[in-house]
Amino acid sequence: MKGAMAVGLAASLAACTEAPQMGGQGGGNTLQRIRDAGTVKVGIAGEIPYGFTQGGEVTGESPEVAKAVFKALGVENVEATQVEFDQLIPALQAGQYDMVAAGMAIIPKRCEQAQFSTVDYVTNTAFLVPQGNPQDVTSFEDIKEKGLGLAVLSGTIEQQVAQALNVGEIQTYGGQSEMLQALQAGRAYAGALTDISLRALLDQNPGVKFEVTEGFVPVVDGKEQIQAGGFVFRKGETELVNAFNEELTKLHDSGQWLEIVEPFGFTEDNLPPKDVTTEQLCSGE
């Protein structure tokens, strides 16, 4: 993962600092303010591999991509504030940081609250289950039909899918480690997250007797729930978002994006297809 930090940016985990507001929510020239300061403040949730700290520095797929984008925009420093996942957007709106770089899935409810970048990546959903998967669980429907407990992270798309499909016993946790502890204690049979997150969780805990099921795309009311992640900004930050999107697209098209994210378990399969757009995901289509 250190290799991905060769961009040379002085990233650090900051205390709960406030990003200055100009002209109210989303107003003013935030991009110019960030350039003048030479520092952009980002929010993360401590979720591996999307956005976390290591050796006192912020890293992960989203922060490393953000570093590359902002370096191209003339901003050398990235500072991070960690909050629980379901507090990422409220803290953004409260001005604690300039943007969210935490691998947040683009869904209509969140689009009502904030503005997403273009799609950064796509990924599948999977379950963390006991080795051998004795209950033969491969879908949310299996969890529901067999009356099994399901652990999810609070505020995630997996929680929303499980609720939409009326899974009976849903347990919410604030972080991956708490979810893993619940599974080890037998409080739930399976934990739902993206397949990339769960594989990273096993890599971080090589002695646990669990495995990751094959990734899949959940379906709710006949519609595929595509897991597509992006960066999040306050509404009205048009100039900042447009500049960010332009540089993010360059990273995707040049192949530099793949070089940055490979250390975190991403592959070419996670590049967003051209027909998967933020507008489409925000509309729920």
Side-chain angles (χ1 to χ4, degrees):
M1 292 182 183
K2 290 291 184 184
M5 301 177 74
V7 292
L9 300 178
S12 65
L13 178 66
C16 188
T17 55
E18 183 174 351
Q21 300 293 293
M22 299 180 67
Q25 181 178 354
N29 192 332
T30 301
L31 176 58
Q32 190 58 54
R33 172 177 59 77
I34 291 171
R35 280 174 162 156
D36 291 343
T39 298
V40 59
K41 299 178 186 296
V42 305
I44 62 172
E47 183 183 0
I48 299 172
Y50 294 104
F52 57 100
T53 56
Q54 189 174 59
E57 294 188 343
V58 63
T59 187
E61 188 273 345
S62 291
E64 295 299 340
V65 171
K67 291 174 190 177
V69 168
F70 277 102
K71 184 178 183 180
L73 293 173
V75 179
E76 292 293 325
N77 300 314
V78 176
E79 293 182 355
T81 296
Q82 182 171 318
V83 300
E84 291 200 357
F85 194 88
D86 62 358
Q87 291 303 306
L88 283 167
I89 290 180
L92 171 70
Q93 294 171 325
Q96 291 188 18
Y97 35 76
D98 301 304
M99 61 178 289
V100 174
M104 181 170 276
I106 304 170
I107 58 176
K109 182 178 180 181
R110 292 174 184 157
C111 296
E112 294 174 359
Q113 302 168 335
Q115 185 171 356
F116 277 84
S117 68
T118 57
V119 179
D120 181 37
Y121 66 85
V122 294
T123 187
N124 288 325
T125 297
F127 297 113
L128 187 64
V129 297
Q131 283 183 347
N133 193 6
Q135 293 287 347
D136 195 25
V137 164
T138 60
S139 69
F140 285 96
E141 288 79 4
D142 289 340
I143 296 283
K144 177 182 176 180
E145 291 171 2
K146 297 181 180 183
L148 301 172
L150 178 67
V152 297
L153 299 191
S154 179
T156 59
I157 191 171
E158 292 82 13
Q159 179 187 8
Q160 296 180 32
V161 169
Q163 291 172 334
L165 295 175
N166 297 315
V167 171
E169 185 184 343
I170 303 171
Q171 301 173 18
T172 58
Y173 295 92
Q176 293 164 312
S177 60
E178 291 87 350
M179 186 176 79
L180 178 59
Q181 289 170 7
L183 297 177
Q184 290 177 303
R187 294 197 293 273
Y189 175 77
L193 269 178
T194 67
D195 53 358
I196 292 175
S197 287
L198 293 177
R199 288 197 295 269
L201 186 59
L202 285 188
D203 287 343
Q204 295 289 318
N205 299 274
V208 299
K209 297 181 179 179
F210 288 88
E211 66 183 45
V212 179
T213 62
E214 186 173 349
F216 64 98
V217 178
V219 177
V220 177
D221 295 331
K223 295 181 179 179
E224 288 190 332
Q225 306 299 301
I226 298 174
Q227 281 262 33
F231 300 85
V232 193
F233 303 84
R234 284 181 288 272
K235 284 184 176 290
E237 302 279 20
T238 305
E239 184 175 356
L240 174 59
V241 175
N242 288 345
F244 188 94
N245 285 342
E246 183 176 345
E247 296 302 328
L248 179 58
T249 300
K250 290 179 183 176
L251 291 180
H252 283 148
D253 293 344
S254 69
Q256 188 181 352
W257 180 88
L258 189 57
E259 295 176 4
I260 294 170
V261 303
E262 277 184 329
F264 304 103
F266 288 71
T267 70
E268 194 170 1
D269 291 340
N270 299 115
L271 271 167
K274 295 297 184 185
D275 60 349
V276 176
T277 67
T278 297
E279 292 74 18
Q280 169 198 13
L281 295 163
C282 284
S283 69
E285 293 179 358

